[in-house]
Amino acid sequence: MIEYRTEQALTLNDLREGERAVLCRIDEQHSLYERLIDLGWTDGTPVECVRVSPLGDPVAYLVRGSVIALRRQDAMDIPIRACERMREEKSKEGKGKTRVIALAGNPNVGKSTLFNALTGLHQHTGNWTGKTVSCAKGQFRHDGKRYTLIDLPGTYSMNPHAAEEREARDLLLAGEADAVGVVCDAGALERNLILVLQLMQLIDRPMLVILNLQDEARRRGVSVDKEKLERRLGVRVVGTEARAGKGISDVAAALTELCKSKNEKQPRLLTPSDAPKNAEQLAALAREIANEACGRLEGGDDQRDRKLDRILTGKKTGFPVMLGLLAVLFWITMVGANGISDALMSLFSWLEGVFYTWMTAANAPDWLIGSLLYGVFRTLGWVVSVMLPPMAIFFPLFTILEDLGYLPRIAFNLDRGFCRCRACGKQALTMCMGLGCNAVGVTGCRIIDSPRERRIAMLTNSMMPCNGRFPTLIALIALFVVTGSGILGSLGSALALIGGILLCVAVTLLCSRLLSVTLLRGEPSSFVLELPPYRMPRVGQVIVRSVLDRTLFVLGRAVAVAAPAGLILWVLANIYVGDASMLTSIASSLDPIGKWLGMDGVILLAFILSLPANEIFVPIMIMIYRSGGVLEPLGSMEGVRDILVSQGWTTTTAICVMLFLLFHWPCATTLWTIKKEGGGWRWALLGAVIPTLVGVVLCLIVATVSRLFI
């Protein structure tokens, strides 16, 4: 099987004997630059480590059919990508080998949907360009045999401009796939054929063209003659409607047939003698083939999207509609979440009583009852009760907007603002991803072409509140800011949350501007973003996938962190130094700083201890407040308010906590992702310092104004 190692810091010296990779652009300052360029060592060239000398240096590499030996010192300065290692099967040669199939194509043509249909996996899909930013691998069976399928990030051509496009190209050129399926949008065949023709020139593996989205093509009045297309291309063409599950078996049969018939490499389908010589000729050939294969259907309507865009991206309506949609989304979340949270808290209180009865009947020692019941279980109860309802409502609604194709329109509407900040409008997409998870948002920054603008987006992504902070924000707004009940109270809470999101957007723009004129100077790059067609959301599938893939996944991560955290907190709360527990002592030492920021030491300590996951911030805080050593039963959201008010909380305290919750260091997972994507810990440190400084400044302003005038 193939094991992929994709790392940004790999060099040619990292290759072990038998490993393959793809060369990156060699620095012009390299001592062998001119010689290596003359030998064809250019960006995107496959390379294989074939031999290491007996003394370990030099090392021989196979590049463009020639074996070249380099000293390790020189190899250390040559970057590579997509390092792959082939693991030989222990069985006889050729027996038991899993065939590998690569699934390529332009962005937003339904590759991930087809991948899910074939493998049964649940890779998250979205109706916008750049949703898939890394390779996904799964397996499927056909005629009793197992095949490995790799879903590559979408790429418009084999001349990549973004990191995810380079990753797709590198894996295709590495040549380890036994067959390649190229997914095309049947309604935009001319554009998609450019990539097909490039692959026919560059790769030497059997290929299948998969015409997906045929239903959308018919709606737009486009029909494709598959037989004509097959004759012109010389490869088999299969039609599918992956969203509806049509044609999946035909694709599986065709792909496995390609793998089945050939073990050796195939001749390139477009040889240099008859291939287009430049991009213009390639585009002309794609247009010629598309015009011959495509026809028009009566009754097609390709104006619907333009009519919707006049509303959703119009000068007078674009921003009001965007804010209105967010307000409705948050209002529905508010209305549904509070009642469910109270019910879950009551359920956990009842379960706790049941478990207490069982444990006392079993003569369990007090320390075991305290650690498991009052430490672990009560912390878990809080996390589940407060987090689950908002996520179960918010994620499906947000995913419907993704499926509809609205998220790229947000980037389209906001690009001018980002351009003035010398950033990229695609940053708006990564910010939307950050609403679900900041770590995912940082990874999504790969869709931004410019390395400078990509770093700006990574360093500011945590300023958008993630799912781990949303429930706490919603609870604090309902308890201290908008205390009314009924529809008006929920609407007021939703508007307050919208205000917080707008503040986050404004601060993100400001920080992006400051970074672009200080640490990350430079002019804004060009902006090219595909606005996909509007698609009817698959509501049932959206709900199921959002609950299983997002809500339960995030909740599971929170529970995994909350369980040990609850145990540790109980232990620290019950270890005394003098007359105070360790938690109380540490919180007391932080109290002067906390008061200075409009909070207190307990709140600051809770922020520090919730570094593994923001979801456990409130359980930690309440555990420390209840210095008796156990987390008291909460009963309902009003019970939470009573506890906080008894500790001196006011509306000012709640506002400062919410501001610091919006702007402080991201969770450990996000910091690790910034380090990995940015290329070093200094970027992760900046990613923690920048939002924290913003939070400190905002809290100081609110606290100072409160002291002077309230």
Side-chain angles (χ1 to χ4, degrees), residues 408 411-413 415 424-427 449 524-529 531:
F412 179 78
N413 291 341
D415 177 64
C424 177
K426 291 182 181 179
Q427 186 174 338
D449 301 340
S525 63
S526 58
F527 176 73
V528 179
L529 176 68
L531 298 181

Side-chain angles (χ1 to χ4, degrees), residues 422-442:
R422 299 184 181 179
C424 177
K426 291 182 181 179
Q427 186 174 338
L429 287 174
T430 66
M431 291 165 63
C432 290
M433 296 171 72
L435 290 174
C437 174
N438 293 132
V440 173
V442 171

Side-chain angles (χ1 to χ4, degrees), residues 164-181:
E164 76 277 6
E165 290 183 327
R166 284 193 294 272
E167 186 170 359
R169 182 200 63 178
D170 294 345
L171 291 175
L172 287 168
L173 292 181
E176 301 302 339
D178 296 283
V180 177

Side-chain angles (χ1 to χ4, degrees), residues 508-561:
T508 299
L509 289 171
L510 176 61
C511 290
S512 297
R513 173 66 177 176
L514 292 176
L515 286 170
S516 68
V517 296
T518 54
L519 298 175
L520 296 167
R521 295 186 183 90
E523 293 298 323
S525 63
S526 58
F527 176 73
V528 179
L529 176 68
E530 179 184 358
L531 298 181
Y534 292 101
R535 291 173 181 148
M536 185 62 65
R538 299 160 292 174
V539 178
Q541 184 175 343
V542 162
I543 293 174
V544 173
R545 292 273 61 83
S546 296
V547 171
L548 295 180
D549 294 346
R550 287 186 166 187
T551 303
L552 294 184
F553 172 78
V554 174
L555 185 64
R557 186 185 74 124
V559 167
V561 173

